[in-house]
Amino acid sequence: MSNLEPLIADLALILICAGVMTLLFKSLKQPIVLGYIVAGFLASPNMPYMPSVSDMHGIHVWSEIGVIFLLFALGLEFSFKKILKMGAAPIIAAVTIILAMMYVGACTGELFGWSQMDCIFLGGMLAMSSTTIIFKAFDDMGLRQQRFAGLVLSVLIIEDILAIVLMVMLSTLAVSKEFEGTQMLNSILQLVLYLVLWFTVGLYFIPLALRKLKPLMNDETLLITALALCFGMVVAASAAGFSAAFGAFVMGSILAETVEAETIEHLVAPVKNLFGAIFFVSVGMMVDVNLIIEYIVPIVSIIAAVMLGQTILSTCGFLLSGQSLKTSMQCSFSLTQIGEFAFILATLGTSLGVTSDFLYPIVVAVSVFTTFTTPYMIRLAEPAYNKLSHILPAKWIAKLERNTNEEDDNAPDELQQIWNDCFKRFVFIMLINSVLCIAIMTIMLYYGQPLIANLVPEKWVHPVTSLIALILCSPFLWMLLRSGADSPEVDKLWDSGPHWRIRLTAYGLLRILITAIFVSYFVDYAIPWSSWLGMFALVAIMAIIFYSSALEKQSNRLTQNFTDNLSARENMKK
């Protein structure tokens, strides 16, 4: 029992401080997240006049769980389907912001004469705003349903995804002292494969399982099942080399497309609030007055770089993505902070021994200060826009405030719109089915082949492995080869002239080529390519896949089930 006492005492102290501070800040009509940070400072060893926590490791573990729940809740609110509906705007804005802020951070470090590696890591830290802090601020201020808040959170999700790539780049740079393009590309491909694979498989099986188990589901069992899926994906993401929070977000996005999403969100909210509070309290515990005084000049400079850089450069990024000036300023003023990813990068640099010891406390101080100012910066966006609108020429304001949803005089005609829709569908078909085929091939090579080797003679191991993998992949190969090719839209394009026929023919040849690459891999793994038998097998398998009515029925059934699951929540609301 004595081993539990420090943990329980720390939890009691944290919750007492958090409870008092949140009530105080609520009475002052201030965001609760600020109360959590003040509570963390009061309960930390840096505050000598009050009791302090004794087990910082336990607090750290709790705060990590809090981040997991916050990202899981974020996934439930903003699914991949909602993000895709936002179009290219979040991607353009996110990439622009990351590149611009990395440059600002690197230049700021150079002004103080820091090493090149310190400057590069500082740039990476300043490039990523805090998803959890902004999400909590929007929630407390009642802004989550506004359009600019949805755009900001979409940008933050893209930033979190790009952050993984950035971490790999910085790790490679730290070890080899030069960018390793191949490793970076492999990381990006692994990320894409992971997202597509789990989203596709999860969206196919999880709604089906929840429907089958619905008679057994009450609030308690649904909560435990949802949390089991969440932490199962956390483990899977960590095993694949990604962050735990990223895995929680992926599972939240999958469950967001189920009919139980709103119920799960309601059930998870109390648990999320508890551990989320501990996370924000742990952020407040990082405040050290002595370190702030010692490094006050670089801290103030970096704070200015974050706030000015985000408000000015991020506004430009959102303008480039096609947003109005007011929306761009509302978005950019919301991003004026750094958060948990900065701590991850700081820890990475320290563990690799490539950054100076002073960088971590500086980043912590900057993060805490910018966390404090986040709600006020969000509120400041509209007055700043009103002030700017009186300064800039009226013609500029009229142009910047254009309605991006108005019909464009240069909008594509009917045939061009049909082609755009078909092209998006074609890309989706090729991406999803290619990833599924790669996943099946990988599973068979790493897990299936060792089992087969214990059952058949050695000379038959490769042919049997290849045959089983081919059978499992055959429905997806059929979809790669033929899915969507016989739609009325495609027929209309084909009948509209040679211009569209050339495009459709090129796309058809691309589908044949991709399918042939997969099939040739299976054939080559079983039969030497030097033999005529291998070439004959390739042609025969391609013909069987193309003309198989059984594969067509199976593929259509899989597609229909996936589409039904994807649209189940929307159909329920109609």
Side-chain angles (χ1 to χ4, degrees):
M1 183 66 184
S2 60
N3 292 333
L4 293 177
E5 288 180 358
L7 195 65
I8 296 174
D10 290 345
L11 181 60
L13 178 61
I14 287 173
L15 293 181
I16 290 171
C17 292
V20 172
M21 286 298 104
T22 51
L23 289 174
L24 176 61
F25 274 72
K26 191 71 174 179
S27 66
L28 297 174
K29 297 182 179 180
Q30 299 299 318
I32 294 178
V33 65
L34 300 181
Y36 289 142
I37 295 174
V38 173
F41 174 70
L42 295 177
S44 70
N46 299 319
M47 184 62 177
Y49 306 106
M50 290 189 63
S52 61
V53 298
S54 58
D55 184 8
M56 289 301 296
H57 175 71
I59 302 301
H60 176 69
V61 173
W62 283 342
S63 67
E64 285 189 344
I65 296 174
V67 173
I68 288 172
F69 279 116
L70 287 169
L71 268 293
F72 181 56
L74 180 64
L76 287 170
E77 276 286 322
F78 295 90
S79 66
F80 285 127
K81 189 176 179 182
K82 292 180 180 179
I83 297 168
L84 291 174
K85 288 182 178 179
M86 298 287 295
I91 298 175
I92 296 172
V95 173
T96 303
I97 293 167
I98 289 173
L99 294 177
M101 289 306 299
M102 285 190 69
Y103 180 76
V104 169
C107 290
T108 303
E110 288 181 359
L111 290 177
F112 293 100
W114 295 350
S115 68
Q116 185 180 29
M117 201 62 67
D118 285 337
C119 295
I120 293 174
F121 269 79
L122 179 63
M125 295 173 198
L126 301 193
M128 303 294 169
S129 299
S130 175
T131 303
T132 52
I133 290 170
I134 296 175
F135 179 76
K136 185 67 176 176
F138 282 163
D139 197 25
D140 291 342
M141 299 170 72
L143 298 174
R144 275 197 302 173
Q145 302 305 320
Q146 294 198 18
R147 184 183 180 278
F148 87 89
L151 183 59
V152 168
L153 291 169
S154 298
V155 168
L156 290 169
I157 292 168
I158 295 170
E159 284 188 352
D160 289 339
I161 295 172
L162 295 177
I164 299 169
V165 180
L166 178 61
M167 187 183 300
V168 173
M169 292 172 59
L170 294 178
S171 300
T172 304
L173 180 63
V175 174
S176 63
K177 306 301 181 184
E178 62 182 9
F179 284 104
E180 184 62 44
T182 303
Q183 184 174 350
M184 183 181 69
L185 181 61
N186 288 337
S187 174
I188 295 173
L189 291 176
Q190 289 174 7
L191 178 63
V192 173
L193 289 174
Y194 185 88
L195 285 173
V196 175
L197 174 63
W198 279 111
F199 185 70
T200 306
V201 174
L203 195 55
Y204 185 83
F205 288 105
I206 290 177
L208 178 63
L210 291 177
R211 284 198 299 270
K212 295 291 185 182
L213 298 174
K214 190 172 183 178
L216 304 176
M217 287 290 182
N218 56 21
D219 286 352
E220 181 179 359
T221 55
L222 182 59
L223 173 62
I224 299 302
T225 301
L227 295 183
L229 291 170
C230 172
F231 281 89
M233 185 61 76
V234 164
V235 174
S238 299
F242 303 115
S243 68
F246 181 72
F249 164 74
V250 171
M251 181 50 66
S253 298
I254 294 172
L255 291 175
E257 305 301 344
T258 66
V259 295
E260 292 84 4
E262 293 180 357
T263 304
I264 293 173
E265 185 179 357
H266 174 73
L267 295 173
V268 170
V271 186
K272 176 202 71 174
N273 290 337
L274 172 62
F275 286 99
I278 296 174
F279 165 73
F280 289 107
V281 169
S282 71
V283 173
M285 289 180 180
M286 296 175 187
V287 177
D288 188 335
V289 177
N290 294 327
L291 287 175
I292 292 175
I293 295 173
E294 183 178 355
Y295 295 103
I296 189 64
V297 174
I299 288 173
V300 171
S301 301
I302 295 173
I303 289 172
V306 171
M307 291 190 166
L308 292 176
Q310 287 286 12
T311 53
I312 298 173
L313 299 176
S314 295
T315 298
C316 295
F318 283 104
L319 287 172
L320 286 174
S321 69
Q323 306 305 310
S324 66
L325 177 60
K326 183 176 182 179
T327 299
S328 298
M329 292 184 67
Q330 287 177 313
C331 292
S332 62
F333 275 65
S334 303
L335 298 174
T336 53
Q337 77 292 119
I338 60 175
E340 56 280 352
F341 187 75
F343 305 146
I344 296 173
L345 272 185
T347 303
L348 176 65
T350 302
S351 63
L352 294 174
V354 296
T355 57
S356 303
D357 294 336
F358 61 78
L359 193 58
Y360 193 96
I362 287 177
V363 170
V364 170
V366 172
S367 176
V368 172
F369 183 86
T370 54
T371 299
F372 263 106
T373 58
T374 294
Y376 304 106
M377 292 299 293
I378 294 174
R379 291 194 181 102
L380 185 61
E382 193 163 344
Y385 164 75
N386 294 332
K387 185 70 174 178
L388 186 62
S389 63
H390 287 91
I391 297 174
L392 293 178
K395 291 183 179 180
W396 291 19
I397 294 295
K399 186 173 183 180
L400 293 173
E401 277 300 327
R402 67 190 183 281
N403 186 352
T404 55
N405 294 321
E406 289 179 352
E407 294 185 3
D408 190 348
D409 293 337
N410 297 320
D413 57 22
E414 181 185 2
L415 291 177
Q416 183 63 49
Q417 187 60 49
I418 292 175
W419 166 254
N420 292 342
D421 295 339
C422 289
F423 182 77
K424 292 178 183 177
R425 185 165 62 250
F426 294 158
V427 171
F428 180 79
I429 290 170
M430 288 192 292
L431 178 63
I432 293 293
N433 291 288
S434 295
V435 168
L436 291 174
C437 288
I438 292 172
I440 292 172
M441 291 161 55
T442 303
I443 292 171
M444 286 302 302
L445 287 176
Y446 285 95
Y447 302 102
Q449 184 168 294
L451 296 176
I452 294 171
N454 295 327
L455 301 175
V456 301
E458 183 178 354
K459 67 177 182 179
W460 291 103
V461 172
H462 280 203
V464 172
T465 303
S466 180
L467 178 61
I468 295 175
L470 178 61
I471 292 173
L472 294 175
C473 288
S474 57
F476 310 112
L477 292 173
W478 186 92
M479 283 188 269
L480 262 177
L481 195 59
R482 294 193 56 184
S483 181
D486 299 327
S487 66
E489 294 83 0
V490 172
D491 293 338
K492 184 173 183 177
L493 288 174
W494 185 266
D495 295 335
S496 298
H499 173 70
W500 303 108
R501 291 178 186 175
I502 292 174
R503 292 191 181 189
L504 292 172
T505 301
Y507 168 69
L509 292 175
L510 178 62
R511 298 180 72 164
I512 293 173
L513 176 62
I514 295 175
T515 308
I517 290 173
F518 282 111
V519 174
S520 65
Y521 178 84
F522 294 125
V523 173
D524 185 52
Y525 197 72
I527 305 171
W529 257 110
S530 57
S531 66
W532 286 101
L533 181 59
M535 181 64 71
F536 174 79
L538 172 63
V539 176
I541 292 171
M542 291 284 290
I544 291 172
I545 292 173
F546 188 87
Y547 290 107
S548 174
S549 58
L551 286 179
E552 180 178 3
K553 292 179 182 178
Q554 186 178 4
S555 300
N556 289 338
R557 186 169 63 253
L558 291 172
T559 302
Q560 188 61 46
N561 289 339
F562 181 83
T563 303
D564 291 344
N565 290 340
L566 192 63
S567 306
R569 188 177 179 184
E570 292 181 357
N571 293 336
M572 181 187 67
K573 294 179 179 180
K574 292 180 180 179

